[in-house]
Amino acid sequence: MTTKNARELTEASVEARLAELLQQERFAPQEAFAAQAEITDPEIRARAAADPTAYWAEQAGRLRWSRAWDQVLDSSEAPFYRWFSGGTINVSDNCLDRHVEAGRGDKVAYHWHGEEGETRDITYAWLLERTARFAGALRELGVGKGDVVGIYLPMIPEVVVAMLACTRIGAVHNVVFGGFSAGSVAERMEVSGAKVLVTADGARRKGRTAPIKPSVDEHMGPEAVPSLQRVVVVRNTGIDVPMTDGRDVWFDEVLEAADAVDPEPMDAEAPLFILYSSGSTAKPKGILHTTGGYLTGASTTHRQVFDLHDDDVYFCSADVGWITGHSYIVYGPLANGVTSVMYEGAPDYPHKGIWWELCERRGVTKFYTAPTAIRACMKWGVEHVAPHDLSSLKLLGSVGEPINPKAWLWYWHVVGGERCPVVDTWWQTETGAIVITTLPGLDAAKPGSAGLPLPGYEVQVLDAEQGGVVEEGEGLLAIPRPWPSMLRTLYQDPDRYVSTYWDRFGPTTYFVGDSARRDADGYTWVIGRVDDVINVSGHRLSTAEVESAIVAHPAVAESAVVAKADDLTGQAIVAYVTLQGGTDASADVEAEINATIADRIGKLARPKRIVFTQDLPKTRSGKIMRRLLRDIAEERDLGDTTTLADPSVVDQLQQRWQQG
Ligand code: ATP
Ligand code: MG
């Protein structure tokens, strides 16, 4: 097997290779990878399916429990399921103490890299020492079991310390992405009744220093967030910030003064954290996860999907403020005792090749990112990847949206050197852990399909009208059996929990909210959100499929397709398209896009209107907010835009739309 040296890549060579690869439907694991893989038993899914509770009990048994459970799964109050009832466990004990006691304290948990090039190696022993003391400090500040602690921090090691310290004493964290405005943080603190907020003086973003503490003061006074008693401030940028007497304390000072505390045995079903979903479809939901089941799900899937070995160096580019960061930067990797890379900055700062530079420098073996980031890298050009030696990489992951085959192949060819399996992982904030993907040493990947349910999970495609199981074809994605890391409720809103997830198919079948196609091999192809299926003259078309056809045009960087009400056809397709750097939106490009769509899908899938734009409205986690694109096309007032990364994008788009 020869591996192509990334250094020889040019745009033309890549384009030519992708055209060839687009003909290939399946990518089986390569021999060298399969030979070293952790999971090689082709019967693993069948064995788990024969007795799912026994399978999950076996996985949970890899963790350290302070008291064994009495019952693996209690469905007596479905859909309020309970896992590992009667058991007690502590998350920070499993993520830290357990490894340090086993003599692995000197192992690096995080190679942290700051955006100005600084670096810190954070060991498991260091994390334990800080976590145990900060847990003591939180207690002294009045935080007890079940109290909510808000965390609003940049990507610095202290964010991990703060999260783990909460778990050590049974406090419930509510992490809010550091890029959100203090206003939206205040809203989430108010709704969750947070008692303490852990934040920073300021954050660095692309060479600038953004003050955080002053805006916290502005938005989180006693009127706005009456529950908030204390604010702990991490000295991060060293800027001068006002401190309120009696309320505000410095992180380093309280940590210094506190005694280390032991991990508190927690009920398996004790609330672990609240996390708001990204808000691409509706107002963000406060999703509640609990202790034993969540840690079982996050650690098991992390080990299996990333084919973990002791010498791995793992890099997940997400932010801890998202579920991906919770499960696959913090809890999964730490429970598994892995070494990770944590990067503070943006993917294009200080330069557009920073991720690849870090991969080369740290010898990263497993890399996990989102389709939107892969498409951005494609847009920036192969010259940012080519100079870096990426031969240490063994596996690549994708999460967050359906990945269009071209981006998948680019990732596989340019980043992975056609050597690394790509795992397209489907899951949600609600599922807590990966549900559908390919096991990298066993299953062939099909670009554009997430793959098969992981062992212990069952996934179905159900008919939208009749609710029957679709063996092959399209329908609504559903999970017909509870799983350990499932959400337990929506925080303080059990009615919305039931109506959102369990009204459609009843209390035993979880309604996902995505539509999907199941193929003859049982692979799941996620089409999009339930409301992302477009019905043109009675023909059901998937937004993802139309987008893939558009993105296949070499000049196109990214595209989002939505439905607009149409008198004639019921719904009509509107496509928003961004072009590769420097390309003009000529009439030629538009005609070529239409020709490709007609060729690949059919004439009726041609958009009624194509809007060329510099940028698409995205959530802070990089997802395209299609509901806003629909609002623009139907000339409605825009709904909640607070989770947008760059609100000015929608103003520009509205103007473009009106220009016709
Ligand atoms: P909200 O629920 O507030 O609208 P959200 O659904 O975007 O926000 P998340 O929980 O972060 O919040 O995202 C989960 C959704 O992301 C899934 O339901 C699915 O639509 C999409 N998704 C995630 N991973 C994949 C993937 N690998 N392939 C296809 N879609 C994916
Ligand atoms: Mg969702």
Side-chain angles (χ1 to χ4, degrees):
M1 187 72 240
T2 54
T3 53
K4 193 165 160 69
N5 183 345
R7 285 156 204 280
E8 289 164 15
L9 300 170
T10 63
E11 286 313 325
S13 78
V14 170
E15 197 60 46
R17 183 66 182 139
L18 296 197
E20 273 168 33
L21 290 170
L22 273 166
Q23 310 303 316
Q24 188 176 332
E25 194 209 350
R26 300 166 68 92
F27 292 73
Q30 306 209 335
E31 255 168 58
F33 186 91
Q36 59 81 63
E38 276 286 298
I39 295 180
T40 51
D41 171 12
E43 296 306 313
I44 184 166
R45 285 191 180 87
R47 280 198 300 108
D51 192 347
T53 44
Y55 168 81
W56 284 118
E58 186 188 321
Q59 304 309 320
R62 292 169 173 261
L63 300 171
R64 179 154 88 176
W65 292 75
S66 33
R67 183 182 183 283
W69 55 84
D70 304 316
Q71 194 181 0
V72 180
L73 170 63
D74 174 359
S75 305
S76 59
E77 284 169 46
F80 297 93
Y81 293 95
R82 301 169 58 80
W83 282 85
F84 310 115
S85 303
T88 63
I89 185 169
N90 184 280
V91 168
S92 80
D93 176 57
N94 274 277
C95 291
L96 303 173
D97 305 60
R98 195 165 53 121
H99 305 312
V100 174
E101 284 166 30
R104 296 151 63 86
D106 291 339
K107 185 165 179 176
V108 172
Y110 297 101
H111 294 296
W112 179 82
H113 286 266
E115 61 164 42
E116 298 304 335
E118 342 66 308
T119 168
R120 285 161 74 184
D121 278 351
I122 304 297
T123 65
Y124 277 88
W126 185 95
L127 268 184
L128 173 57
E129 200 258 333
R130 311 279 287 186
T131 297
R133 292 232 311 274
F134 190 56
L138 284 176
R139 258 196 197 149
E140 278 161 38
L141 292 172
V143 177
K145 271 191 190 177
D147 286 340
V148 176
V149 174
I151 299 178
Y152 178 41
L153 285 171
M155 285 288 282
I156 51 176
E158 285 72 16
V159 73
V160 182
V161 171
M163 290 166 78
L164 289 171
C166 289
T167 73
R168 200 165 185 85
I169 57 170
V172 181
H173 61 65
N174 179 1
V175 182
V176 183
F177 171 50
F180 272 147
S181 69
S184 31
V185 182
E187 195 185 309
R188 286 159 169 74
M189 292 305 117
E190 204 261 319
V191 176
S192 64
K195 201 167 179 181
V196 169
L197 176 70
V198 186
T199 188
D201 52 0
R204 302 180 304 169
R205 202 69 186 162
K206 299 198 188 193
R208 290 180 305 116
T209 297
I212 293 179
K213 178 65 172 44
S215 38
V216 163
D217 289 340
E218 189 186 323
H219 289 92
M220 274 170 266
E223 307 263 277
V225 190
S227 60
L228 195 67
Q229 294 170 9
R230 297 297 201 135
V231 177
V232 184
V233 186
V234 176
R235 257 186 260 264
N236 181 43
T237 55
I239 54 171
D240 223 13
V241 296
M243 296 289 276
T244 306
D245 254 359
R247 187 193 70 170
D248 302 349
V249 290
W250 290 104
F251 177 89
D252 52 328
E253 286 173 11
V254 291
L255 187 119
E256 208 52 55
D259 290 328
V261 298
D262 286 334
E264 176 84 26
M266 295 302 297
D267 191 283
E269 281 296 340
L272 182 66
F273 63 82
I274 303 163
L275 183 64
Y276 286 86
S277 60
S278 62
S280 12
T281 54
K283 205 169 163 56
K285 302 179 270 284
I287 286 158
L288 182 84
H289 282 285
T290 60
T291 305
Y294 171 79
L295 196 64
T296 300
S299 59
T300 304
T301 54
H302 188 242
R303 192 178 66 247
Q304 295 176 336
V305 175
F306 293 94
D307 189 48
L308 293 185
H309 292 73
D310 206 35
D311 55 357
D312 269 321
V313 181
Y314 163 86
F315 182 8
C316 169
S317 75
D319 189 279
V320 281
W322 306 117
I323 190 67
T324 304
H326 281 54
S327 300
Y328 300 113
I329 292 179
V330 181
Y331 294 116
L334 293 180
N336 288 319
V338 166
T339 296
S340 300
V341 170
M342 182 190 265
Y343 181 52
E344 176 193 33
D348 58 351
Y349 188 87
H351 59 83
K352 294 185 168 80
I354 182 65
W355 283 354
W356 319 121
E357 182 187 312
L358 293 175
C359 284
E360 174 172 3
R361 190 154 154 210
R362 291 302 186 178
V364 170
T365 55
K366 313 285 162 70
F367 182 70
Y368 193 25
T369 194
T372 179
I374 298 166
R375 291 190 299 260
C377 292
M378 289 171 73
K379 187 165 157 184
W380 295 335
V382 70
E383 78 260 27
H384 299 286
V385 193
H388 299 288
D389 177 1
L390 299 179
S391 58
S392 60
L393 285 171
K394 289 185 180 156
L395 178 144
L396 304 172
S398 169
V399 58
E401 284 185 290
I403 176 165
N404 50 294
K406 190 175 161 189
W408 193 103
L409 293 169
W410 189 94
Y411 199 26
W412 193 72
H413 172 62
V414 174
V415 179
E418 302 195 6
R419 185 182 73 246
C420 307
V422 173
V423 288
D424 174 3
T425 62
W426 179 91
W427 58 298
Q428 308 177 293
T429 311
E430 291 89 336
T431 68
I434 299 167
V435 176
I436 306 174
T437 190
T438 43
L439 283 169
L442 272 180
D443 308 323
K446 302 185 189 184
S449 165
L452 300 162
L454 282 173
Y457 290 97
E458 198 183 330
V459 166
Q460 290 175 336
V461 171
L462 299 178
D463 183 86
E465 266 88 56
Q466 316 293 326
V469 176
V470 178
E471 289 301 339
E472 202 188 321
E474 224 181 279
L476 305 176
L477 199 60
I479 309 180
R481 186 198 288 153
W483 64 103
S485 63
M486 66 196 297
L487 81 165
R488 296 303 194 266
T489 191
L490 294 179
Y491 193 64
Q492 290 174 346
D493 201 351
D495 293 344
R496 191 178 175 202
Y497 167 71
V498 174
S499 65
T500 307
Y501 307 106
W502 307 98
D503 266 1
R504 180 97 187 207
F505 302 124
T508 58
T509 299
Y510 172 82
F511 172 67
V512 163
D514 287 356
S515 54
R517 181 166 64 82
R518 195 184 137 104
D519 73 13
D521 300 322
Y523 277 54
T524 300
W525 300 72
V526 175
I527 297 171
R529 311 315 174 98
V530 167
D531 41 359
D532 282 350
V533 176
I534 305 183
N535 197 322
V536 182
S537 309
H539 299 274
R540 290 164 62 78
L541 298 162
S542 100
T543 52
E545 212 178 344
V546 181
E547 285 162 10
S548 285
I550 296 174
V551 173
H553 190 289
V556 173
E558 193 161 43
S559 150
V561 163
V562 297
K564 164 181 164 33
D566 189 277
D567 291 342
L568 205 61
T569 55
Q571 287 187 318
I573 295 175
V574 173
Y576 297 85
V577 174
T578 66
L579 297 175
Q580 303 278 9
T583 326
D584 282 330
S586 65
D588 286 355
V589 175
E590 184 158 350
E592 284 160 16
I593 288 175
N594 276 313
T596 319
I597 296 174
D599 182 45
R600 292 183 153 217
I601 309 173
K603 281 192 175 163
L604 94 186
R606 287 178 308 188
K608 179 145 191 190
R609 181 147 169 213
I610 298 181
V611 182
F612 290 96
T613 167
Q614 293 293 322
D615 220 336
L616 294 168
K618 293 192 182 152
T619 63
R620 298 283 186 156
S621 56
K623 292 183 194 203
I624 299 167
M625 282 177 95
R626 288 191 175 72
R627 65 178 165 90
L628 294 183
L629 293 173
R630 273 197 298 273
D631 290 344
I632 292 168
E634 299 193 328
E635 300 182 7
R636 263 194 306 270
D637 279 349
L638 304 182
D640 182 1
T641 56
T642 54
T643 61
L644 268 181
D646 177 3
S648 71
V649 171
V650 284
D651 300 337
Q652 286 162 22
L653 270 173
Q654 276 179 317
Q655 280 167 19
R656 289 237 158 181
W657 183 265
Q658 272 141 25
Q659 284 157 11

